[in-house]
Amino acid sequence: MSAYPAIADHGIIGDLQTAALVSSDGTIDWWCAPRFDSPSMFASLLDSERGGYCRLSAHLPGGREPVVRQLYLADTAVLVTRFMAPGGVGEVADFMSPLVTGSPTERHRLVRLVRVVRGSLDFRLTCRPRFDYGRASHDLERTGEAAAVFRGPGTDLHLQVTGPFVLHPDDDDLTARCTLSAGETAAVVLTSDASGAAAPTPVSAEDIRAEVEACRRYWHRWLRTSTYRGRWRDIVNRSAITLKLLTYAPTGAPIAAATMGLPEQVGGERNWDYRYTWIRDSSLVVRALSDLGFTAEAAAFRRWLRARLDAGGTASGEPLQIMYRIDGDPHLTEEVLDHLEGYEGSAPVRAGNAAADQIQLDIYGEAADALAQAGEMGGIRGWKTFADVLDWLADHWDRPDEGIWETRGGQQEFTYSRLMTWVAFDRGVRLATAYSRPADTARWTRERDAVFRQIVERGWNERRQAFVQHYATDVLDASLLLMPRVGFLSPTDPAWLSTLDAMEQELVSDSLVYRYNPEASPDGLRGSEGTFNLCSFLYVEALARSGRLHQARYAFDKMLTYANHVGLFAEEIGPSGEQIGNFPQAFTHLALVAAAIALDEELDRAEPGGSDE
């Protein structure tokens, strides 16, 4: 039996500054604090022996295993793991109360509320933190009969219990057990503290019950902002909550995923750190949240983005770089954590991301599109900065880059990068005209049209009858599924329909879509990867907009079967339908939202007057 749970065998909880993964057996096997991109305290997902974990689960005599089910309280981020046995039924509710402050906090609280609803059950707790990705030792200090603290370098982890739990030291770790009968409750509270402040105040069962109810109300209030009334409300709401959980509230910056190091191929080397803010991913997250009516989150990211444009000082030397830390720091030094074996032996495990200094010209289009959605440029100074960037781009767009997929196989003239520079100029011209702003719109128009002509002349492959990945290949690339959405051409343009047909032949496998064919277009990395969930949902959207509604809906319904038991998606789908890559992935959930909205709109047009097919 593997020491590692399936990647999909998890739910996520968070407080809008950090997040933890909880497996369906009640184990917290991933938690970094005080920020998403901080070193881990629990990381057994990347090394079952050295990574650290906190397990709270039902224990049955004779080595028997309870039946386990996991779910969210409806429309919340409160995760419930249920344990069912002949002698009783119990559940553990895991949650973190959202921190609505606009400032970063050094103290973060994770609550595990246990209750038995029928019969009686024995629960056991094991807490084995391993600080700094498992590199640092810690000391255990008892601070009371029901409390202790693990003291690590720069961070303390306090553990408090309520109810009949009795704590027992196990070297520098802790164990505890208790037996609960129907109607009885207990709690375990983990508080990470990087401030050196006094120990948290004692907790009571009444306080915990009030806290979980306040958390539930927060998420219900937040979801009431949503304007989505379509056919797939449950899964769209879950995706919206996930995107919110992956957004760092103090700055408004979304991260790409909650984890690092989870492999795109088990046993392979494609293992990256996704706990940072990509301009591209975040701009698309903002589009998804805006389309759902969450305008406050979209406005917060635009402020963060304008601050990056104003700040300059990138590691790449360009006006923008492809990714930043959540506080806007452009330095993301990549290191290999050799002491961690990696998920199922998938090494190397990397922290940081060396792709930060890559040149990827598409980010200017995504940034311009995000800013153009609201038409608010941050006043006169904000407009000047934006116009200066477009003037710079007019001199620098026509050059090779690394492309959207951050390949490490050398620069090319990628068609998608050119497409998004077209978007940057197009949105700039539109904004300057709509708001009467001073700008060299004549030059921007010339450059926009030059990009358009170049894509049509060099990005189109006559033999394939399709737009291709870059100008020196006939390989296809699923990133171009965004061509109709950004307005480069109509979704029913014959050239687009021909491209869509070619993609179906080369990139689509049973409605699942590969990004590209790495064998035909080497990307500088060994091994293979699965189908890319972002692309599969973009394919659904493209089919719907092109009028292929039956095909689009069937592809969407099949994609939803790959969601895990609580509606979450990783980055990719493996050959046997398993989820692989970092988890949960913002790209996937934003594309799911876009696909659902597109399908709803096109189905409603096809059947006026109803929201059901």
Side-chain angles (χ1 to χ4, degrees):
M1 181 177 177
S2 172
Y4 295 90
I7 291 172
D9 199 17
H10 292 84
I12 183 174
I13 58 175
D15 62 8
L16 311 183
Q17 295 190 22
T18 183
L21 296 189
V22 185
S23 72
S24 64
D25 71 353
T27 301
I28 299 172
D29 53 15
W30 181 256
W31 188 23
C32 303
R35 307 190 329 181
F36 295 116
D37 57 355
S38 298
S40 63
M41 295 178 297
F42 300 134
S44 62
L45 194 55
L46 296 180
D47 193 306
S48 61
E49 293 296 323
R50 301 179 185 88
Y53 62 87
C54 177
R55 179 175 298 123
L56 177 57
S57 59
H59 176 77
L60 303 185
R64 292 177 295 140
E65 296 291 335
V67 174
V68 181
R69 296 288 184 268
Q70 201 172 52
L71 71 155
Y72 282 106
L73 292 185
D75 291 339
T76 76
V78 179
L79 184 68
V80 178
T81 306
R82 307 190 73 223
F83 300 91
M84 293 167 278
V89 175
E91 52 193 38
V92 176
D94 288 300
F95 69 96
M96 301 176 73
S97 295
L99 297 172
V100 295
T101 175
S103 302
T105 58
E106 298 297 321
R107 177 169 283 191
H108 298 268
R109 175 176 162 113
L110 190 158
V111 179
R112 318 200 72 183
L113 176 61
V114 189
R115 70 168 185 159
V116 168
V117 297
R118 178 178 63 80
S120 66
L121 276 179
D122 180 26
F123 280 88
R124 294 193 178 180
L125 168 72
T126 303
C127 189
R128 301 179 68 240
R130 297 294 182 263
F131 294 89
D132 190 24
Y133 305 117
R135 292 182 292 196
S137 60
H138 66 269
D139 296 319
L140 175 66
E141 179 184 329
R142 291 294 295 267
T143 55
E145 285 297 317
V149 58
F150 303 91
R151 299 201 182 277
T155 301
D156 293 338
L157 180 65
H158 297 269
L159 185 148
Q160 299 165 284
V161 294
T162 69
F165 273 119
V166 177
L167 296 177
H168 298 283
D170 180 11
D171 292 329
D172 289 328
D173 302 321
L174 280 175
T175 64
R177 62 182 296 174
C178 73
T179 301
L180 298 177
S181 298
E184 294 181 332
T185 63
V188 177
V189 179
L190 299 169
T191 304
S192 74
D193 181 28
S195 68
T201 57
V203 296
S204 69
E206 293 75 17
D207 292 338
I208 298 298
R209 284 193 290 269
E211 192 173 347
V212 71
E213 180 60 21
C215 183
R216 186 189 66 82
R217 287 197 304 269
Y218 170 87
W219 287 109
H220 286 180
R221 281 196 307 271
W222 184 76
L223 267 183
R224 281 199 291 271
T225 307
S226 175
T227 57
Y228 182 76
R229 300 293 182 268
R231 296 164 175 80
W232 294 280
R233 197 172 305 182
D234 286 347
I235 194 69
V236 167
N237 283 353
R238 180 54 49 201
S239 290
I241 290 172
T242 303
L243 294 174
K244 178 72 169 173
L245 285 171
L246 295 176
T247 300
Y248 187 63
T251 63
I255 59 172
T259 59
M260 62 179 235
L262 293 181
E264 297 173 16
Q265 180 188 27
V266 173
E269 68 170 335
R270 299 168 184 260
N271 319 311
W272 315 111
D273 190 347
Y274 278 10
R275 300 170 300 153
Y276 306 113
T277 299
W278 271 254
I279 297 295
R280 174 190 313 112
D281 303 41
S282 301
S283 297
L284 294 172
V285 167
V286 165
R287 172 68 179 269
L289 290 174
S290 295
D291 288 346
L292 293 175
F294 298 108
T295 56
E297 286 74 15
F301 171 70
R302 291 187 190 103
R303 289 192 294 271
W304 182 91
L305 178 57
R306 287 196 301 269
R308 304 287 73 71
L309 289 168
D310 289 340
T314 63
S316 65
E318 309 270 309
L320 275 179
Q321 67 182 44
I322 66 170
M323 73 181 91
Y324 298 81
R325 293 190 180 274
I326 50 181
D327 59 1
D329 183 350
H331 302 290
L332 289 79
T333 303
E334 183 175 294
E335 61 176 327
V336 173
L337 305 180
D338 287 323
H339 64 288
L340 298 179
E341 75 166 3
Y343 178 85
E344 295 276 14
S346 303
V349 175
R350 300 177 177 91
N353 201 306
D357 61 356
Q358 285 190 358
I359 305 302
Q360 297 178 21
L361 294 169
D362 66 285
I363 63 174
Y364 297 100
E366 282 114 8
D369 195 47
L371 294 171
Q373 288 167 30
E376 195 277 303
M377 303 302 299
I380 295 172
R381 181 185 174 189
W383 173 258
K384 183 180 184 304
T385 300
F386 178 72
D388 288 346
V389 170
L390 283 190
D391 288 339
W392 175 91
L393 187 62
D395 292 324
H396 294 89
W397 66 265
D398 196 7
R399 55 188 173 133
D401 69 349
E402 273 86 6
I404 178 176
W405 304 127
E406 298 169 10
T407 60
R408 302 189 179 189
Q411 295 183 343
Q412 297 288 347
E413 294 179 295
F414 285 101
T415 306
Y416 179 79
S417 297
R418 296 295 194 270
L419 169 69
M420 296 311 294
T421 57
W422 177 90
V423 170
F425 292 125
D426 180 73
R427 302 311 188 258
V429 170
R430 294 184 187 211
L431 283 169
T433 303
Y435 295 97
S436 302
R437 291 290 184 264
D440 192 353
T441 53
R443 186 184 184 197
W444 295 354
T445 300
R446 288 196 304 272
E447 299 302 326
R448 180 194 66 187
D449 295 347
V451 177
F452 184 92
R453 286 191 294 269
Q454 188 184 97
I455 291 173
V456 170
E457 293 168 5
R458 300 182 63 196
W460 174 262
N461 184 284
E462 191 66 27
R463 184 183 69 82
R464 301 298 307 272
Q465 286 292 291
F467 291 101
V468 292
Q469 184 181 61
H470 59 78
Y471 297 165
T473 188
D474 63 359
V475 172
L476 303 180
D477 192 309
S479 64
L480 297 179
L481 287 164
L482 283 167
M483 275 183 146
R485 186 204 281 192
V486 301
F488 185 82
L489 41 61
S490 163
T492 57
D493 187 299
W496 173 245
L497 295 178
S498 176
T499 299
L500 198 56
D501 290 339
M503 287 185 182
E504 184 172 359
Q505 293 299 313
E506 181 170 306
L507 300 180
V508 180
S509 174
D510 190 30
S511 301
L512 299 173
V513 182
Y514 291 93
R515 295 188 290 181
Y516 55 90
N517 181 353
E519 293 182 1
S521 180
D523 57 13
L525 297 166
R526 295 187 302 273
S528 61
E529 62 179 20
T531 56
F532 208 70
N533 292 330
L534 164 74
C535 300
S536 297
F537 283 119
L538 290 180
Y539 179 59
V540 171
E541 181 182 357
L543 289 172
R545 298 302 189 193
S546 67
R548 302 176 181 182
L549 283 178
H550 175 75
Q551 188 179 357
R553 181 155 193 181
Y554 188 40
F556 188 69
D557 287 343
K558 284 198 286 187
M559 269 304 297
L560 295 186
T561 69
Y562 293 101
N564 80 345
H565 55 288
V566 289
L568 302 179
F569 285 91
E571 183 178 27
E572 300 181 12
I573 301 297
S576 300
E578 72 277 15
Q579 296 205 31
I580 51 177
N582 283 307
F583 177 92
Q585 179 87 355
F587 246 169
T588 303
H589 287 278
L590 70 87
L592 184 157
V593 169
I597 290 173
L599 262 177
D600 278 317
E601 290 176 352
E602 298 303 328
L603 288 168
D604 288 346
R605 287 192 187 100
E607 301 175 10
S611 62
D612 293 317
E613 189 176 19

